[in-house]
Amino acid sequence: DAGVTQSPTHLIKTRGQQVTLRCSPKSGHDTVSWYQQALGQGPQFIFQYYEEEERQRGNFPDRFSGHQFPNYSSELNVNALLLGDSALYLCASSFQSAANTDTQYFGPGTRLTVL
Amino acid sequence: TQLLEQSPQFLSIQEGENLTVYCNSSSVFSSLQWYRQEPGEGPVLLVTVVTGGEVKKLKRLTFQFGDARKDSSLHITAAQPGDTGLYLCAGARNYGQNFVFGPGTRLSVLP
């Protein structure tokens, strides 16, 4: 049983470019959340997808957008990249994450570097 | 300002020592979680606490949720090098809301 997988592992982009990161949730999970973790910091919540819709959103600009597919996999898109977007992007999956006691399973992350 | 503060920021101890790390906030949380994150990996959930004053034990790790549900502590007994990692606390203020993470405590246990 595969856990949460993310691709690519590492990515280097230049300012102004656009990037798409991908996440496949753990088998049986239907909810995907995305986090940004800057170096030396804790993860910051970007948004959560359930039933192919954005259910919650953190304090991130509209340059950050996402999508969830019928198979529950998800993409995170970032437009007009800034140097400050350099971070580890984490995907977490859970089952019907409306309950705060639900367990989130995190993927290994995608390390994005913006030059 | 951080919604959740963690202390200490860094901790380096010898194998076999005991330690406590703290997670504090001025806000009340409906639930709080502790995670451990190792280099190159995502965070792994250790425990969820939901009741004020609750104490949970996981082998050598003891977690406590403050009576007022504003703070929490993690105590490790007889630390081992395998305990090395970034310890993160995360709190949800209301039922159904996303979890907010603290900045973490980076623990290094030397053999």
Side-chain angles (χ1 to χ4, degrees):
Chain A
D1 177 25
V4 180
T5 59
Q6 293 187 243
S7 63
T9 305
H10 297 86
L11 201 52
I12 299 175
K13 292 285 189 178
T14 56
R15 281 178 296 175
Q17 285 190 310
Q18 178 265 343
V19 68
T20 297
L21 310 182
R22 295 175 176 82
C23 171
S24 292
K26 183 177 170 62
S27 179
H29 285 182
D30 57 8
T31 302
V32 173
S33 301
W34 286 93
Y35 293 82
Q36 179 194 67
Q37 187 175 23
L39 200 61
Q41 299 293 320
Q44 290 203 30
F45 177 75
I46 303 175
F47 41 54
Q48 183 183 80
Y49 277 84
Y50 173 69
E51 293 188 339
E52 303 179 50
E53 290 189 358
E54 184 182 292
R55 183 160 65 175
Q56 294 186 51
R57 188 180 182 91
N59 189 26
F60 278 80
D62 292 344
R63 297 187 297 110
F64 290 77
S65 63
H67 189 78
Q68 185 178 33
F69 299 94
N71 67 352
Y72 308 117
S73 67
S74 178
E75 289 182 348
L76 164 65
N77 300 292
V78 188
N79 294 324
L81 285 167
L82 304 173
L83 296 179
D85 295 332
S86 295
L88 179 69
Y89 287 85
L90 294 162
C91 168
S93 76
S94 57
F95 178 68
Q96 292 181 357
S97 187
N100 294 134
T101 56
D102 286 349
T103 298
Q104 289 188 101
Y105 291 83
F106 281 85
T110 293
R111 173 73 60 187
L112 173 65
T113 301
V114 182
L115 302 177
Chain B
T1 56
Q2 293 269 1
L3 183 62
L4 280 167
E5 303 285 346
Q6 290 190 246
S7 61
Q9 187 177 359
F10 299 97
L11 186 58
S12 182
I13 62 171
Q14 293 294 134
E15 182 176 3
E17 292 184 3
N18 301 332
L19 68 113
T20 303
V21 297
Y22 300 92
C23 175
N24 297 288
S25 177
S26 58
S27 299
V28 176
F29 293 100
S30 64
S31 62
L32 191 139
Q33 298 182 328
W34 283 92
Y35 291 80
R36 181 171 65 224
Q37 184 177 20
E38 298 184 29
E41 299 181 11
V44 175
L45 180 66
L46 298 174
V47 77
T48 301
V49 286
V50 297
T51 304
E54 182 177 4
V55 176
K56 283 191 173 180
K57 293 191 175 184
L58 181 66
K59 297 182 179 178
R60 294 177 294 101
L61 278 60
T62 302
F63 305 86
Q64 183 161 9
F65 201 12
D67 291 341
R69 291 184 288 128
K70 292 183 178 182
D71 54 85
S72 181
S73 64
L74 159 58
H75 181 81
I76 301 178
T77 303
Q80 299 177 0
D83 296 327
T84 293
L86 179 67
Y87 287 81
L88 295 158
C89 67
R93 295 176 71 176
N94 294 298
Y95 183 86
Q97 283 192 339
N98 61 281
F99 281 88
V100 175
F101 281 80
T105 291
R106 190 163 297 280
L107 172 65
S108 177
V109 182
L110 306 174

